[in-house]
Amino acid sequence: MSETLVITGAQLLGAESADIIVHDGVIAEIGSGLSRAGARVIDANGLVALPGLVDLHTHLREPGYEASETILTGTKAAASGGFTAVFAMPNTSPVADTAGVVEQELALGEAAGYATVQPIGAVTVGQKGERLAELGAMATSRAQVRVFSDDGFCVFDPLIMRRALEYVKSFGGVIAQHAQDPRLTEGAQMNEGTVSAELGLAGWPAVAEESIIARDVLLAEHVGSRLHVCHLSTAGSVDIIRWAKKRGIDVTAEVTPHHLLLTEELVRGYDARYKVNPPLRREEDVIAVREGLADGTIDIVATDHAPHPSEHKACEWQAAANGMVGLESALRVVHQSMVQTGLIGWADVARVMSAAPARIGRLSGHGTPLEIGQQAHIALYDASVAGVFTEADLHGRSANSPYLGRDLPGRVQYTLHGGVLTVDDGAVVAELGATSERGGSK
């Protein structure tokens, strides 16, 4: 059971100031001048109060790749960034394509306690794209999987994609597609364009993403099922999603923090921290995805947190692994790229980083408004400060952040997961102990 907390002076969604009493893991009171005998008082004067953030696209690496990350270290990283729930991608070893593996991940998340861990199941056996995985068994398992993805592999066969969309429709699931035509991106090392030509690196053309999205929204329309597009990165992709939504197709899309801020120009230094899939794009694409997020075409921000050991990044560009860590920096990057630019406000941040991802993933108990009776998943964020992002800001096992040495605004001061403090006065709580509560069910 969590302790009773009185949070004073917090700015709810960056607006009016209020006190919040948290008791037995739920929001018990909201008002002014509140107090509770024996409670701990947290001075949140000037801090932005947000519902706990939810990441629909996290790589926790366990089981199988614990040298990069574990569920414990990954959820500590999540807590430090204000996240109270993360959806774990299936590219583990063994692949999360059975009920047994997703239930193992669920149990490890419960034992850690820093954030609710909701497994994502693979669409196909071994993520090989050849035959459907045990979608129904994972859906009815204790993990209650509702999101399925082959993650770094595109479900390229249109017949298998259609069957997957048809299958998950029966239980309200969603297929999250990594939109990448593998034939058009063979040997690709960065975005295809002027910079790739100058550097002599094989290009990853925008059409490789856009053509798969175009195909899949039409398949989703034909089947009448839900499609989610992972890490959308090009202006053309935004246009396709906008068209599909106007047509009434049930499609949602995500953008990563790095695609909201960074461009292909960073590749000129051959620093493999900037190697990612899909690649960093042009400035024009960054502008387009920002506008798409602001106008609701893009539904959510998802980190695509992808930890790697240093040896997988500290090598020549062509041999380096794709991916960046992003849980600790996501809110700060969204603050810089979207809030400080005036494109969205804090209520919108709550929508795209908490409410909408929880809704897409069918994860109840998270993404809920800061209201009496709701579970106390809360992030308290100091938007008034700024500083250089360093390795001291990282709490996972890997340090492959593209933001090291960069000035970023803000800092998460407190994170509450089900009323339990996981970040206390800017520091990740060292140990929480085991817990049997998920902090939400479907």
Side-chain angles (χ1 to χ4, degrees):
M1 184 180 295
S2 60
E3 63 181 324
T4 300
L5 302 170
V6 179
I7 302 168
T8 62
Q11 295 179 342
L12 304 182
L13 304 184
E16 70 274 11
S17 177
D19 301 339
I20 304 169
I21 292 182
V22 174
H23 180 69
D24 284 348
V26 302
I27 298 174
E29 294 183 62
I30 299 177
S32 60
L34 300 181
S35 64
R36 183 73 67 93
R40 177 183 168 184
V41 177
I42 293 177
D43 181 3
N45 183 47
L47 302 184
V48 177
L50 298 168
L53 306 184
V54 177
D55 188 18
L56 198 67
H57 193 147
T58 305
H59 300 268
L60 294 179
R61 304 302 193 202
E62 188 176 13
Y65 303 107
E66 289 83 357
S68 300
E69 195 76 280
T70 68
I71 287 175
L72 174 60
T73 62
T75 52
K76 282 186 174 183
S80 73
F83 290 91
T84 57
V86 295
F87 284 72
M89 278 293 181
N91 61 332
T92 51
S93 181
V95 170
D97 58 4
T98 66
V101 178
V102 295
E103 288 182 345
Q104 177 190 4
E105 293 176 337
L106 177 68
L108 288 168
E110 290 171 339
Y114 285 88
T116 298
V117 174
Q118 176 57 50
I120 293 175
V123 177
T124 64
V125 175
Q127 299 175 284
K128 295 181 178 179
E130 297 171 353
R131 57 192 176 93
L132 291 183
E134 298 176 7
L135 308 184
M138 288 186 279
T140 57
S141 72
R142 197 170 77 85
Q144 299 180 71
V145 176
R146 291 296 179 271
V147 183
F148 299 87
S149 178
D150 270 358
D151 188 34
F153 300 97
C154 179
V155 182
F156 187 55
D157 187 320
L159 180 58
I160 290 177
M161 187 62 179
R162 173 184 174 169
R163 287 174 175 167
L165 288 165
E166 289 172 332
Y167 199 110
V168 301
K169 182 180 176 181
S170 64
F171 52 79
V174 62
I175 301 298
Q177 176 71 294
H178 173 97
Q180 176 186 0
D181 186 316
R183 296 297 302 278
L184 291 174
T185 56
E186 289 180 5
Q189 294 291 319
M190 66 169 297
N191 181 56
E192 182 179 279
T194 302
V195 178
S196 66
E198 291 176 4
L199 298 179
L201 294 175
W204 201 119
V207 70
E209 173 177 300
E210 296 157 4
S211 60
I212 295 297
I213 295 174
R215 181 202 75 176
D216 286 353
V217 295
L218 292 175
L219 284 174
E221 179 182 44
H222 179 71
V223 172
S225 188
R226 290 201 299 145
L227 170 72
H228 179 72
V229 178
C230 295
H231 43 49
L232 178 153
S233 68
T234 77
S237 294
V238 177
D239 289 340
I240 294 166
I241 296 296
R242 188 175 285 120
W243 172 86
K245 287 189 170 186
K246 287 181 179 178
R247 193 176 171 92
I249 300 172
D250 197 354
V251 58
T252 54
E254 72 189 34
V255 63
T256 68
H258 47 272
H259 286 115
L260 288 170
L261 185 63
L262 309 178
T263 74
E264 63 180 0
E265 291 294 328
L266 291 165
V267 178
R268 291 185 183 278
Y270 296 101
D271 185 339
R273 288 183 301 134
Y274 302 116
K275 187 176 182 182
V276 68
N277 184 0
L280 300 179
R281 302 291 191 180
R282 306 167 303 160
E283 180 68 26
E284 299 96 309
D285 295 304
V286 170
I287 293 169
V289 297
R290 286 185 182 184
E291 292 174 348
L293 183 64
D295 68 20
T297 301
I298 299 172
D299 299 84
I300 67 171
V301 175
T303 71
D304 194 8
H305 176 79
H308 292 291
S310 59
E311 61 269 23
H312 291 180
K313 284 290 192 177
C315 56
E316 62 272 19
W317 179 272
Q318 286 87 341
N322 286 304
M324 305 167 169
V325 294
L327 286 166
E328 298 97 333
S329 53
L331 181 55
R332 298 172 69 177
V333 173
V334 171
H335 181 188
Q336 184 176 81
S337 61
M338 299 298 296
V339 179
Q340 288 188 334
T341 55
L343 290 169
I344 65 174
W346 290 112
D348 299 306
V349 173
R351 172 175 53 84
V352 302
M353 297 190 74
S354 183
R359 183 188 72 247
I360 293 167
R362 298 291 196 259
L363 185 64
S364 65
H366 285 273
T368 54
L370 297 174
E371 296 176 351
I372 294 172
Q374 299 289 357
Q375 294 189 56
H377 303 305
I378 303 171
L380 298 173
Y381 181 73
D382 189 347
S384 68
V385 301
V388 176
F389 193 82
T390 71
E391 287 198 26
D393 293 301
L394 299 174
H395 298 275
R397 284 196 168 176
S398 299
N400 53 305
S401 169
Y403 307 109
L404 294 176
R406 179 183 286 262
D407 287 324
L408 292 178
R411 180 178 179 83
V412 173
Q413 287 295 111
Y414 299 91
T415 305
L416 282 74
H417 176 234
V420 175
L421 280 166
T422 56
V423 174
D424 190 349
D425 198 18
V428 176
V429 176
E431 284 190 33
L432 299 179
T435 177
S436 61
E437 295 182 355
R438 295 186 60 193
S441 60
K442 297 173 192 68

